Amino acid sequence: EGGTFRLYPRESSGACVIDHDPTNAIICSIGYGCHLIGPHHAWVPKLYSVSPAGVEECCLEGLPFVNPSYCRAKTMGIVSRKWFVDYDEGLCHQDCEVGTGPSCAINTDPAVTYYDSPEECCASKLGFQNQPKCHADSTGTLYGGTSRYYVDYRNSKCAQDCRRSPIVEEGGNNATSGTNNTNNTNCGGLVVDSSTVLHEDAVSCCAASLGYMHSELCLDRSNGTATGTGLYYPIEDGICVKDTSATPCPSGETCQRVDGWLSTFYTTIPECCNSDSNPALPSDVNPAYCQALSTGIGTNEWFQLSDGDNRCAKHCTNAISISVECAIPASRSVVYHPSAGECCASEFAHLNVDMCVELSITGGVFRDVVVGTEEYYVDWVRQMCVKNCPKDSSGRGSLNDDNDDVECGGMAAGSWVTLFPNTTSCCDNLHYLDDEDCLGGQ
């Protein structure tokens, strides 16, 4: 009726208990648990003595699926002082009364694996974590990091494994984040996983893990006080810019820190603009245009204006034009020519070259005194021959020729206009008119 006072395994608790009336304060107050074997426990094949040896035997034979250390401790009403994992917190606890140590917690999982040290527990159950950090977190020690370097892929650089304070969250894939209130501008936060490779310095980190980046860019990014590589790279605008935030920016150049990562840089603007191996420089960019716009120094060559003025302009400078013939190309695919004449002949083959050259040199307006040409052409609308020279406001020629009263008809506008060396050959085309009518009644 009072029980056998023998131990038997009780699966629901993961421990062995004494077959005795639990109300017996004398028997059941020595740490062991008491519970009478009921009718539904009649199948219990074996009972064990209430002794350390009996406890060991009962746990091993009667509860083979339970951690023996857990079973022994729970059976005898003590703590194991072993270490076990807490996956929710990402650390290991010691099986002991809460409040008696910085890592103490009571384990309630019968199948948990115990370890003799936090190092063993971290290595076996939290091997994916940064082990020094796991050891420190498990023992309640403030972890300061290794001061080694790891890859910060989000910012395309290498960062130092050190504590950023205060910590506000577990950030990124591999490090804690927060405000860095130390003097170490290279600190990227604490590495939290063991899969993150740590390197002795930024140089080895960049070489081993960010080899797809230009090495100087990687080192510059990894140095919190750096101002850029000082090298050149192309951008989509069709120019090359200098990777620097230092001031002042070189005169005529554009300074802009790299956003993202690049594998190729150049030491000079000409190298950058003339490279055919860099996919970042659009293929439609004229290298001469790139170099001129990148340095602020014009090519001093001529190009076709795209404003409908039927003339060419000279690429003198990227600043405000200092001469009427100067302009900046609107197209990065611009074609340059060594002279205004060659530009007009090539780009405006349908126009009179002399007129085009005149307008190109004067910025789109005729000069007060224009030499023009000693040639004539037929004005078919007015049915007369006129001289190839600009008109003044009165409609008379502005040609400075006292012996020639033939009216100036304006500069021949197109290459289709036939020019004649004298009035006779011109008037032959109006053979149905007499000479006086052919020359406008002169």
Side-chain angles (χ1 to χ4, degrees), residues 396-413:
R396 300 302 302 170
S398 59
L399 181 65
N400 187 15
D401 186 349
D402 295 336
N403 297 319
D404 193 347
D405 290 330
V406 178
E407 181 178 342
C408 283
M411 298 293 291

PDB file of all heavy atoms in Angstrom, residues 396-413:
ATOM      1  N   ARG A 396      21.689  96.186-101.917  1.00  0.00           N
ATOM      2  CA  ARG A 396      22.827  96.316-102.815  1.00  0.00           C
ATOM      3  C   ARG A 396      23.978  95.492-102.250  1.00  0.00           C
ATOM      4  O   ARG A 396      24.000  95.101-101.091  1.00  0.00           O
ATOM      5  CB  ARG A 396      23.270  97.784-102.932  1.00  0.00           C
ATOM      6  CG  ARG A 396      22.194  98.689-103.475  1.00  0.00           C
ATOM      7  CD  ARG A 396      21.699  98.266-104.844  1.00  0.00           C
ATOM      8  NE  ARG A 396      22.787  98.225-105.825  1.00  0.00           N
ATOM      9  CZ  ARG A 396      22.691  97.728-107.033  1.00  0.00           C
ATOM     10  NH1 ARG A 396      21.543  97.187-107.426  1.00  0.00           N
ATOM     11  NH2 ARG A 396      23.700  97.757-107.869  1.00  0.00           N
ATOM     12  N   GLY A 397      24.937  95.257-103.121  1.00  0.00           N
ATOM     13  CA  GLY A 397      26.069  94.442-102.688  1.00  0.00           C
ATOM     14  C   GLY A 397      26.927  95.148-101.663  1.00  0.00           C
ATOM     15  O   GLY A 397      27.098  96.367-101.703  1.00  0.00           O
ATOM     16  N   SER A 398      27.478  94.398-100.764  1.00  0.00           N
ATOM     17  CA  SER A 398      28.412  94.952 -99.798  1.00  0.00           C
ATOM     18  C   SER A 398      29.846  94.722-100.227  1.00  0.00           C
ATOM     19  O   SER A 398      30.771  94.976 -99.475  1.00  0.00           O
ATOM     20  CB  SER A 398      28.175  94.314 -98.419  1.00  0.00           C
ATOM     21  OG  SER A 398      28.345  92.906 -98.507  1.00  0.00           O
ATOM     22  N   LEU A 399      30.024  94.226-101.451  1.00  0.00           N
ATOM     23  CA  LEU A 399      31.365  93.984-101.965  1.00  0.00           C
ATOM     24  C   LEU A 399      32.060  95.320-102.197  1.00  0.00           C
ATOM     25  O   LEU A 399      31.514  96.233-102.790  1.00  0.00           O
ATOM     26  CB  LEU A 399      31.295  93.189-103.271  1.00  0.00           C
ATOM     27  CG  LEU A 399      32.626  92.822-103.922  1.00  0.00           C
ATOM     28  CD1 LEU A 399      33.395  91.871-103.024  1.00  0.00           C
ATOM     29  CD2 LEU A 399      32.377  92.177-105.289  1.00  0.00           C
ATOM     30  N   ASN A 400      33.283  95.463-101.725  1.00  0.00           N
ATOM     31  CA  ASN A 400      34.036  96.706-101.877  1.00  0.00           C
ATOM     32  C   ASN A 400      34.719  96.706-103.253  1.00  0.00           C
ATOM     33  O   ASN A 400      35.904  96.395-103.370  1.00  0.00           O
ATOM     34  CB  ASN A 400      35.062  96.824-100.745  1.00  0.00           C
ATOM     35  CG  ASN A 400      35.760  98.176-100.754  1.00  0.00           C
ATOM     36  OD1 ASN A 400      35.304  99.101-101.412  1.00  0.00           O
ATOM     37  ND2 ASN A 400      36.882  98.269-100.027  1.00  0.00           N
ATOM     38  N   ASP A 401      33.960  97.022-104.279  1.00  0.00           N
ATOM     39  CA  ASP A 401      34.458  96.975-105.655  1.00  0.00           C
ATOM     40  C   ASP A 401      33.824  98.135-106.418  1.00  0.00           C
ATOM     41  O   ASP A 401      32.662  98.081-106.817  1.00  0.00           O
ATOM     42  CB  ASP A 401      34.099  95.642-106.304  1.00  0.00           C
ATOM     43  CG  ASP A 401      34.725  95.481-107.683  1.00  0.00           C
ATOM     44  OD1 ASP A 401      35.252  96.472-108.200  1.00  0.00           O
ATOM     45  OD2 ASP A 401      34.649  94.339-108.213  1.00  0.00           O
ATOM     46  N   ASP A 402      34.602  99.228-106.592  1.00  0.00           N
ATOM     47  CA  ASP A 402      34.053 100.438-107.204  1.00  0.00           C
ATOM     48  C   ASP A 402      33.736 100.265-108.689  1.00  0.00           C
ATOM     49  O   ASP A 402      32.946 101.005-109.257  1.00  0.00           O
ATOM     50  CB  ASP A 402      35.044 101.602-107.054  1.00  0.00           C
ATOM     51  CG  ASP A 402      35.226 101.983-105.589  1.00  0.00           C
ATOM     52  OD1 ASP A 402      34.297 101.703-104.803  1.00  0.00           O
ATOM     53  OD2 ASP A 402      36.296 102.522-105.245  1.00  0.00           O
ATOM     54  N   ASN A 403      34.339  99.272-109.326  1.00  0.00           N
ATOM     55  CA  ASN A 403      34.161  99.103-110.763  1.00  0.00           C
ATOM     56  C   ASN A 403      33.113  98.068-111.102  1.00  0.00           C
ATOM     57  O   ASN A 403      32.958  97.690-112.253  1.00  0.00           O
ATOM     58  CB  ASN A 403      35.503  98.683-111.405  1.00  0.00           C
ATOM     59  CG  ASN A 403      36.560  99.772-111.231  1.00  0.00           C
ATOM     60  OD1 ASN A 403      36.260 100.956-111.379  1.00  0.00           O
ATOM     61  ND2 ASN A 403      37.793  99.347-110.928  1.00  0.00           N
ATOM     62  N   ASP A 404      32.415  97.578-110.117  1.00  0.00           N
ATOM     63  CA  ASP A 404      31.427  96.526-110.377  1.00  0.00           C
ATOM     64  C   ASP A 404      30.109  96.908-109.722  1.00  0.00           C
ATOM     65  O   ASP A 404      29.995  96.907-108.500  1.00  0.00           O
ATOM     66  CB  ASP A 404      31.918  95.195-109.818  1.00  0.00           C
ATOM     67  CG  ASP A 404      31.082  94.035-110.349  1.00  0.00           C
ATOM     68  OD1 ASP A 404      30.017  94.292-110.915  1.00  0.00           O
ATOM     69  OD2 ASP A 404      31.519  92.878-110.164  1.00  0.00           O
ATOM     70  N   ASP A 405      29.141  97.293-110.550  1.00  0.00           N
ATOM     71  CA  ASP A 405      27.835  97.704-110.019  1.00  0.00           C
ATOM     72  C   ASP A 405      26.821  96.574-110.073  1.00  0.00           C
ATOM     73  O   ASP A 405      25.634  96.790-109.862  1.00  0.00           O
ATOM     74  CB  ASP A 405      27.295  98.899-110.804  1.00  0.00           C
ATOM     75  CG  ASP A 405      28.108 100.164-110.512  1.00  0.00           C
ATOM     76  OD1 ASP A 405      28.629 100.231-109.376  1.00  0.00           O
ATOM     77  OD2 ASP A 405      28.216 101.014-111.392  1.00  0.00           O
ATOM     78  N   VAL A 406      27.248  95.351-110.408  1.00  0.00           N
ATOM     79  CA  VAL A 406      26.316  94.239-110.457  1.00  0.00           C
ATOM     80  C   VAL A 406      25.817  93.944-109.048  1.00  0.00           C
ATOM     81  O   VAL A 406      26.591  93.894-108.092  1.00  0.00           O
ATOM     82  CB  VAL A 406      26.988  92.988-111.056  1.00  0.00           C
ATOM     83  CG1 VAL A 406      26.006  91.817-111.047  1.00  0.00           C
ATOM     84  CG2 VAL A 406      27.443  93.282-112.484  1.00  0.00           C
ATOM     85  N   GLU A 407      24.510  93.765-108.946  1.00  0.00           N
ATOM     86  CA  GLU A 407      23.897  93.573-107.628  1.00  0.00           C
ATOM     87  C   GLU A 407      24.369  92.275-106.977  1.00  0.00           C
ATOM     88  O   GLU A 407      24.487  91.242-107.645  1.00  0.00           O
ATOM     89  CB  GLU A 407      22.382  93.544-107.774  1.00  0.00           C
ATOM     90  CG  GLU A 407      21.647  93.371-106.448  1.00  0.00           C
ATOM     91  CD  GLU A 407      20.137  93.409-106.642  1.00  0.00           C
ATOM     92  OE1 GLU A 407      19.669  93.897-107.703  1.00  0.00           O
ATOM     93  OE2 GLU A 407      19.428  92.943-105.744  1.00  0.00           O
ATOM     94  N   CYS A 408      24.620  92.350-105.648  1.00  0.00           N
ATOM     95  CA  CYS A 408      24.941  91.132-104.874  1.00  0.00           C
ATOM     96  C   CYS A 408      23.640  90.377-104.610  1.00  0.00           C
ATOM     97  O   CYS A 408      22.676  90.932-104.091  1.00  0.00           O
ATOM     98  CB  CYS A 408      25.595  91.482-103.548  1.00  0.00           C
ATOM     99  SG  CYS A 408      27.330  91.935-103.708  1.00  0.00           S
ATOM    100  N   GLY A 409      23.655  89.123-104.956  1.00  0.00           N
ATOM    101  CA  GLY A 409      22.439  88.330-104.759  1.00  0.00           C
ATOM    102  C   GLY A 409      22.446  87.530-103.462  1.00  0.00           C
ATOM    103  O   GLY A 409      21.515  86.774-103.190  1.00  0.00           O
ATOM    104  N   GLY A 410      23.503  87.717-102.672  1.00  0.00           N
ATOM    105  CA  GLY A 410      23.674  86.897-101.477  1.00  0.00           C
ATOM    106  C   GLY A 410      24.607  85.733-101.784  1.00  0.00           C
ATOM    107  O   GLY A 410      24.836  85.392-102.944  1.00  0.00           O
ATOM    108  N   MET A 411      25.143  85.165-100.761  1.00  0.00           N
ATOM    109  CA  MET A 411      26.048  84.036-100.971  1.00  0.00           C
ATOM    110  C   MET A 411      25.250  82.846-101.486  1.00  0.00           C
ATOM    111  O   MET A 411      24.165  82.545-101.000  1.00  0.00           O
ATOM    112  CB  MET A 411      26.756  83.670 -99.667  1.00  0.00           C
ATOM    113  CG  MET A 411      27.631  84.788 -99.103  1.00  0.00           C
ATOM    114  SD  MET A 411      29.051  85.184-100.112  1.00  0.00           S
ATOM    115  CE  MET A 411      30.040  83.710 -99.882  1.00  0.00           C
ATOM    116  N   ALA A 412      25.792  82.194-102.510  1.00  0.00           N
ATOM    117  CA  ALA A 412      25.126  81.019-103.074  1.00  0.00           C
ATOM    118  C   ALA A 412      24.924  79.984-101.971  1.00  0.00           C
ATOM    119  O   ALA A 412      25.872  79.567-101.304  1.00  0.00           O
ATOM    120  CB  ALA A 412      25.971  80.431-104.198  1.00  0.00           C
ATOM    121  N   ALA A 413      23.692  79.568-101.766  1.00  0.00           N
ATOM    122  CA  ALA A 413      23.365  78.758-100.593  1.00  0.00           C
ATOM    123  C   ALA A 413      23.615  77.280-100.781  1.00  0.00           C
ATOM    124  O   ALA A 413      23.786  76.556 -99.807  1.00  0.00           O
ATOM    125  CB  ALA A 413      21.913  78.982-100.211  1.00  0.00           C
TER     126      ALA A 413
END
